[in-house]
Structure formats: structure tokens, C-alpha cells
Amino acid sequence: PRRRNALSLPMLQSLRRDLLHDVKSQELRVIVIAAEGPVFCSGHDLKELSSEDDVKHHSQVFELCAEVMTLIQKLPVPVIAKVNGLATAAGCQLVASCDIAVASEKSRFATPGVNIGLFCSTPAVALGRSLPRKVALEMLFTGEPLSAHEALMHGLVSKVVPEDKLEEETMKISQKICESSKSVLALGKATFYRQITQDLDTAYKITTKVMVDNLTLRDGQEGIEAFVQKRKPVWSH
């Protein structure tokens, strides 16, 4: 919190370790990324990006950040950002990269790199895939923040709740996810991100095959049988 939860190289390394921790465990069902203090994440540690460090170090920072952001979408379980405060630059990128984002009413979101001469080009990758283009570009060109409700309206976050309800709402979503089959969710998440960048015909070809594959899963058949028999499914995951 004293460093505004900046995504320094050690922080990025730690975040990668935490995301991969127990990733193959049968028990792992959902990951929540939260933060302490008034700032969810202030983005990169600018002290690491000064001319005192060489190009190799700068490349290492941005490459690891990109790896962490893409890792979130490659994980077999849903990842939720629980945001209570300001999320700027790569911190805003982190929110945009998560599968679901729940924010308190006091949260704000910005990509202010342009104001210090470092355009938020890597945050723009996640931002441009979460927001309408003109909204994303206004954020990127001006550095002005979105309020929590503006972020909700434009699709950057999933829900906005009062600060005292943030934990409750995040857990409610997490618990609902835990009621479903892990194997079905993993297949669905991977397919969603695979098809979303394709043209319409290709997307339907991919998802048509996956629907058939889903039916070959034990939990795919268990869910249908349970529905027909009017009972709760017993997932094997």
C-alpha cells in the first residue's frame, strides 16, 4: 500500500507466482485479486523506467507485465478483480484483463500516461478490448478518469456496489461460480477468449465443435441427466 500497489518487477513476479499457485489443484475454483489501501494499483513503478535502467530492463518489465495479463485469461478458473480505490495505467489494464470486475462506488479508472510523456500503449490492449473504441481513446488521449458508474456503463467493470458491500458481492459471485463444474467452466473460458477475436463464421465453427466436445465430458452428461431427472447435479470436475 505504501507504494500504491505499483506493478514493480518484484510485484509482477509475485503476482505471477500467486496466479500459478495451486493452479492444477482440484480445489481451486476461482481467483480474486484484491488490494489494500486507497489505491487498487497505480500501474508501473516509474522509478524502474528511468534512464538509469537500460533498455533490457525496461523490456523485461513490459514483457513480464504482458505475460501476467495474458496469463489471467489462460488460467482454467475465473479471475475476479475486487476493486476498492483508484486503478491507473497498468493497474487499469489489470482490471480490464480480469474475467469479472466488481468495484466499490469510490473506485476510479484512468490511463494517465500521456500526461507524463509515456502513452499507455500496453494498457490500451486490454482497454481497447473491454471498452468502446471512442471511450478507450478518450481515456488514453486525455488521462481523465472514469468514475465507477461510468466504468460500469461502458463495460470496464461488471458491478458497482457500496464499499461496505464489496466483499459480500465478490463472495456471492465466487460462490455461484463454485456451484458449477470446474471442467465445464475451464472449457467455456478458454473457448470464449479463443473465439472472441475471430470473424463470425470462424467463431461459430470453433464453438460448434466445442459444444460437441462439452457433451463428451462426464460433467456435460451429468448436468443433462440431472436436469431431466429434476435433481441437483453431482459434479466430478
Side-chain angles (χ1 to χ4, degrees):
R2 289 195 305 273
R3 303 286 295 277
R4 298 165 68 87
N5 299 313
L7 292 176
S8 62
L9 200 55
M11 175 71 96
L12 285 166
Q13 290 164 340
S14 175
L15 187 54
R16 179 176 59 183
R17 280 196 304 272
D18 287 342
L19 287 167
L20 290 171
H21 177 69
D22 275 349
V23 74
K24 294 182 180 178
S25 167
Q26 190 87 336
E27 300 301 312
L28 181 66
R29 309 299 303 285
V30 62
I31 294 171
V32 177
I33 299 178
E36 294 179 13
V39 176
F40 175 78
C41 178
S42 61
H44 290 292
D45 184 345
L46 295 180
K47 290 178 181 176
E48 291 186 339
L49 305 180
S50 70
S51 57
E52 292 175 15
D53 293 302
D54 59 15
V55 170
K56 184 178 178 182
H57 179 81
H58 295 164
S59 296
Q60 187 181 6
V61 170
F62 291 118
E63 286 168 7
L64 180 55
C65 185
E67 182 186 337
V68 168
M69 301 300 168
T70 54
L71 173 62
I72 288 169
Q73 295 180 359
K74 290 175 183 175
L75 291 168
V77 297
V79 180
I80 302 174
K82 175 185 163 189
V83 187
N84 189 29
L86 184 64
T88 63
C92 189
Q93 179 186 4
L94 180 59
V95 175
S97 298
C98 288
D99 303 310
I100 295 170
V102 186
S104 69
E105 291 173 329
K106 75 175 189 180
S107 299
R108 292 183 302 142
F109 306 85
T111 49
V114 68
N115 297 330
I116 59 162
L118 183 64
F119 197 87
C120 285
S121 293
T122 45
V125 175
L127 213 63
R129 285 161 170 75
S130 298
L131 292 168
R133 182 178 298 181
K134 288 177 175 60
V135 177
L137 285 171
E138 183 181 349
M139 289 181 70
L140 291 161
F141 290 159
T142 68
E144 288 297 303
L146 290 184
S147 69
H149 287 288
E150 287 171 327
L152 176 64
M153 179 174 68
H154 294 305
L156 180 58
V157 301
S158 317
K159 285 193 174 181
V160 173
V161 296
E163 185 177 3
D164 62 355
K165 298 286 185 185
L166 183 59
E167 174 69 16
E168 178 185 336
E169 187 60 36
T170 305
M171 290 311 298
K172 182 180 171 184
I173 295 169
S174 300
Q175 286 160 0
K176 185 63 181 173
I177 288 169
C178 290
E179 291 175 10
S180 298
S181 161
K182 180 176 181 177
S183 55
V184 170
L185 279 173
L187 179 65
K189 175 175 172 175
T191 305
F192 177 86
Y193 286 114
R194 186 177 161 210
Q195 63 83 26
I196 199 70
T197 58
Q198 305 295 324
D199 64 78
L200 198 62
D201 288 341
T202 304
Y204 271 119
K205 282 178 185 174
I206 290 169
T207 53
T208 297
K209 182 180 184 305
V210 170
M211 292 292 282
V212 174
D213 292 343
N214 195 154
L215 288 171
T216 68
L217 294 178
R218 188 188 304 174
D219 281 350
Q221 287 302 314
E222 166 61 17
I224 291 171
E225 288 172 17
F227 179 82
V228 171
Q229 296 168 10
K230 295 183 171 59
R231 62 174 175 82
K232 284 194 74 172
V234 180
W235 305 124
S236 65
H237 304 295

